[in-house]
Amino acid sequence: MIELSIAFVFGLLFGSFLNVVILRIPKEESVVYEGSYCYSCNSKLKPWHNIPLFSWLFLGGKCSFCKSAISVQYPLIELVSGLIFTVIASQYGLSFPAFLIAMSFLMLLALSMIDFKYKMVPDSLNILAIIFAIFGAWNLQGLMLNFQNALLFAGGFTLLRFTLSYYLTSSIYKAGLKTKTPWNRHYDRTPFIEAMGEGDIMVAATMGALLGVKLTLVAIFLSALLALPIMLLVMTRSKEEQKVPFVPFLALATFIVFIYESPILAYIEANY
């Protein structure tokens, strides 16, 4: 119980910093050199304003200076980060590999929030997620296996991206041929269709390092199931509104599969 409490507190602390990362990286602001401040009145926050989870509760969700509402994102990210650390500590105890694995999931959490809010996936966080995942091994053999799995799924997603993009672009090109006239037949203005973002490829590498081959395939399938209702919901909307960030679903599926690793593997081995 003491170990889990320690893990939860560590998760809260890192979650507090994660809020800074989520807010500042998309704005290209430093996450190190400038102290925390209110985004409404620009007042510098006092140390007691930055106590994870509790400050938001004690302040009633409002800035101590201008009384502007503080986004509920702050306590939620801190709480989720604490739960991530606690769950991983419950499985692997307080160890350095467990810490690196938890940090990898925190990077996925930050990527999910940024992708959801800004439709962007920063390479800096993606690289950190991969590094934490690869080095979250208990021995050199495990580290090499994590690296191998990361490369495997990065390559697999790259190939999938190229194939789907080629197919979609070719389909539009062939459809455009029907509208060609003697005046424009020598001009090809077919746009290249990106079927998948580069950020998704790097997230796939992190998934491979964290889960291994079998479980990553399960996580990819689960992420598609989680995203399906949202995709069906936005199909009737405009093209811009149809763009659904996929990183949050990949990250959520990865964490679910990681938690239930043993029963999932047992089911796979028993039935396949």
Side-chain angles (χ1 to χ4, degrees):
M1 190 62 183
I2 296 178
E3 286 190 352
L4 297 184
S5 299
I6 294 174
F8 183 72
V9 171
F10 266 93
L12 290 180
L13 294 173
F14 281 101
S16 180
F17 180 71
L18 202 65
N19 274 314
V20 177
V21 171
I22 293 170
L23 288 170
R24 295 190 183 184
I25 283 186
K27 300 178 181 180
E28 298 184 351
E29 296 179 356
S30 173
V31 299
V32 177
Y33 295 110
E34 188 174 3
S36 298
Y37 62 93
C38 173
Y39 277 81
S40 297
C41 64
N42 293 322
S43 298
K44 298 291 183 181
L45 301 185
K46 304 297 182 181
W48 54 87
H49 294 154
N50 283 322
I51 302 174
L53 196 59
F54 294 102
S55 288
W56 189 89
L57 294 174
F58 292 151
L59 292 172
K62 296 181 180 180
C63 173
S64 178
F65 301 101
C66 65
K67 305 304 178 184
S68 298
I70 302 175
S71 174
V72 72
Q73 171 189 313
Y74 289 90
L76 283 179
I77 293 297
E78 291 164 356
L79 180 60
V80 172
S81 299
L83 293 176
I84 288 174
F85 266 71
T86 303
V87 169
I88 294 176
S90 67
Q91 291 186 334
Y92 301 105
L94 295 180
S95 62
F96 187 64
F99 170 75
L100 293 179
I101 292 172
M103 289 301 297
S104 182
F105 276 113
L106 256 60
M107 295 303 102
L108 290 178
L109 175 59
L111 288 168
S112 298
M113 290 300 300
I114 294 174
D115 191 26
F116 180 77
K117 294 180 65 175
Y118 303 101
K119 302 295 191 299
M120 62 181 293
V121 186
D123 289 339
S124 56
L125 296 180
N126 242 332
I127 292 173
L128 282 176
I130 294 173
I131 291 175
F132 286 139
I134 290 175
F135 284 89
W138 274 259
N139 51 52
L140 181 60
Q141 182 180 358
L143 189 151
M144 295 305 297
L145 182 60
N146 288 350
F147 183 65
Q148 174 185 311
N149 290 334
L151 289 179
L152 176 64
F153 279 95
F157 264 55
T158 301
L159 180 61
L160 179 62
R161 178 196 185 205
F162 173 80
T163 303
L164 291 177
S165 299
Y166 175 79
Y167 173 77
L168 293 174
T169 304
S170 298
S171 299
I172 292 179
Y173 174 74
K174 291 177 182 178
L177 289 177
K178 299 178 181 179
T179 63
K180 291 286 185 180
T181 67
W183 297 97
N184 64 6
R185 62 184 178 182
H186 298 298
Y187 297 93
D188 180 21
R189 296 183 178 180
T190 304
F192 182 75
I193 308 298
E194 292 282 2
M196 185 185 301
E198 294 180 358
D200 297 332
I201 295 173
M202 297 177 71
V203 171
T206 300
M207 295 171 66
L210 286 171
L211 301 176
V213 176
K214 293 181 180 178
L215 291 177
T216 300
L217 294 175
V218 174
I220 293 172
F221 177 73
L222 178 59
S223 66
L225 290 181
L226 294 173
L228 183 59
I230 307 299
M231 296 295 292
L232 293 175
L233 185 65
V234 303
M235 281 182 62
T236 57
R237 301 183 180 181
S238 64
K239 289 185 178 180
E240 186 63 29
E241 291 178 331
Q242 287 180 7
K243 295 180 180 179
V244 178
F246 196 52
V247 171
F249 299 104
L250 289 172
L252 178 59
T254 301
F255 190 65
I256 293 174
V257 172
F258 186 86
I259 294 173
Y260 295 102
E261 172 185 1
S262 297
I264 292 174
L265 284 177
Y267 177 82
I268 293 174
E269 293 174 0
N271 293 275
Y272 300 97

